[in-house]
Amino acid sequence: MASPGEKKQIFLNAFDMSTIGHLSPGQWKNPVDKSATKRKLEYWIELAKLLDRGGFNALFLADTYGGYDTYEGSLDNCIRRAAQWPVTDPTIPITAMAAVTKNLSFAITASTSFEPPFLLAKRFSTLDHFTGGRFGWNIVTSWKKAAFKAIGLENPIEHDERYRQADEYLKVLYKLWEGSWADDAISPDPENDSYADPDKIRTINHKGKYFSLNTRHIVDPSPQRTPFLFQAGTSAAGSEFAATHAEAIFVSSHSPAILRPKITKIRELAAAKGRDPQSLKFFATYTPIIGRTDEEARAKYAELQKYTSVVGGLVLVSGWTGIDLSKIPLDQEVSAADSLEAHKVRSILDAFTTTSEDIPQWTPRVIAQKASIGGLGHIAVGSPQTVADDMERWVREGDLDGFNIGYVTTPGTFEEVVELLIPELRRRGVYPEPAEEGERLTARERVYGKGQSGLRDDHVGATYKYDRYQEDPPYVEDEAVKEGEK
């Protein structure tokens, strides 16, 4: 937390996805947009170099595990409009990007629903090693029916149950990352033909409700041990999970006034768990369209609107909310009652029951307009000074710590932020200065300060550190539950 008289620093992450139409579907038609080249490694290498040179905190990569088939009850328009389709794996380009950058961190989305925790632990320890500790994980629990069908399951796990499962998943990971290896387990002793001491590598014997394993972690401790932990979701179950596990929380709304009570609630929940509530960092979706003047920015915005895919936007929002917007008259108000799908993003659905001065009523027409650029997040159009003023207002009114910068065109939006916005924020003293020559910080140090590569002591994962580790007792099913199932 900024001390009295010190300005709060704003963190900016670039928000991208290994897909053609991320949050502004249709812009692939725009001659200046390079979204259609994301299947080439060169795209990711050049983007990473731009972001690193320009001073971005991290590249935050979304992901999805199935197409959006709520709109018209079909996947056809998702495919036709390239609305987050096709999607490649965000994990693969990370090491190539790390090799050409020095300070940029990388956060990728991965689900707790689709693979055993041991496999994820191995892959993420490897990525933390290969990035020099510049790696973070956006924890998601997955809700899409299409995704579950793709791996052979007919229906997604119920919303709150997914979070209970994810809670145990994280505990297993902490055991592997924090509790399996002593810091000095690797102690090369050529004379005795010994590289590592097996007595200093603990076998994790976890017997839980959802997961069981008996193993040592197969990867030695990486620079951070546990990757920097992001999470998105502000439902009751999501907020509880975030207050327990997340170091950074990704939120989205058209108004900071709507975000503030949700952020306050999560900070209060974290404090009740013994955590410093200010150690949780909140990032809002934010799509800037920047010109050297307000007039130039407005002209850019008008040009961008020529390429929007209205149907593509409706496909995405229908999928997120479980509301088939093709069935609702264009000017009829949308409500939560229209969502007939049990599995959806509750925090986005909640947005449609919350209005503001900017949006007094949500209708398919308003949704189409908002979703086609910026994916329902906030859009700021103006000069660097106008956008910086707006960002400072959002930080102040929403109690935010930074933003996930959505692009309209790539790399165009990110170039505007690097060339025009970040210099303006630095002039105001609200954006971190470039790292000193030769200084290499981990993802966690970039946020918490030099020396804090590992989990903070007030984080639940710290209770599983090697020197204080105690194995949890095996899970025993409640007798009342057993009786109820008979």
Side-chain angles (χ1 to χ4, degrees), residues 454-481:
L455 290 169
R456 289 168 49 95
D457 286 341
D458 60 357
H459 188 282
V460 65
T463 62
Y464 294 96
K465 289 185 177 181
Y466 186 87
D467 291 340
R468 63 180 95 157
Y469 186 92
Q470 289 188 315
E471 188 59 79
D472 297 325
Y475 171 76
V476 178
E477 191 171 3
D478 189 281
E479 290 300 323
V481 173

Side-chain angles (χ1 to χ4, degrees), residues 45-119:
I45 288 171
E46 292 306 314
L47 176 63
K49 289 196 289 191
L50 167 69
L51 300 175
D52 192 46
R53 183 176 69 250
F56 270 83
N57 174 62
L59 171 58
F60 183 108
L61 292 173
D63 196 17
T64 191
Y65 297 85
Y68 296 91
D69 56 5
T70 303
Y71 188 81
E72 295 182 341
S74 168
L75 197 58
D76 287 358
N77 264 311
C78 174
I79 295 171
R80 185 172 288 114
R81 317 294 174 176
Q84 297 189 7
W85 183 287
V87 184
T88 54
D89 191 312
T91 313
I92 309 301
I94 296 295
T95 51
M97 292 192 285
V100 297
T101 56
K102 296 176 181 178
N103 298 298
L104 184 69
S105 299
F106 306 93
I108 67 170
T109 299
S111 175
T112 58
S113 299
F114 295 147
E115 66 177 317
F118 179 84
L119 299 183

Side-chain angles (χ1 to χ4, degrees), residues 174-187:
Y174 298 142
K175 292 178 180 185
L176 293 168
W177 286 329
E178 301 290 337
S180 188
W181 287 64
D183 286 335
D184 59 351
I186 292 180
S187 49

Side-chain angles (χ1 to χ4, degrees), residues 177-231:
W177 286 329
E178 301 290 337
S180 188
W181 287 64
D183 286 335
D184 59 351
I186 292 180
S187 49
D189 182 359
E191 289 184 11
N192 291 298
D193 190 24
S194 175
Y195 180 73
D197 184 350
D199 292 336
K200 293 185 176 181
I201 307 173
R202 177 183 286 113
T203 297
I204 304 303
N205 186 29
H206 177 88
K207 303 293 180 190
K209 180 179 181 181
Y210 304 101
F211 305 102
S212 293
L213 74 161
N214 182 268
T215 186
R216 293 172 164 102
H217 188 29
I218 200 167
V219 188
D220 56 301
S222 63
Q224 296 183 112
R225 284 191 176 249
T226 296
F228 187 74
L229 300 174
F230 284 89
Q231 188 264 350

Side-chain angles (χ1 to χ4, degrees), residues 434-447:
E436 293 179 17
E437 185 64 35
E439 186 176 49
R440 299 288 180 268
L441 300 179
T442 65
R444 192 169 280 112
E445 286 178 306
R446 289 288 297 271
V447 173

Side-chain angles (χ1 to χ4, degrees), residues 96 134 188 347:
R134 291 182 283 143
S347 53

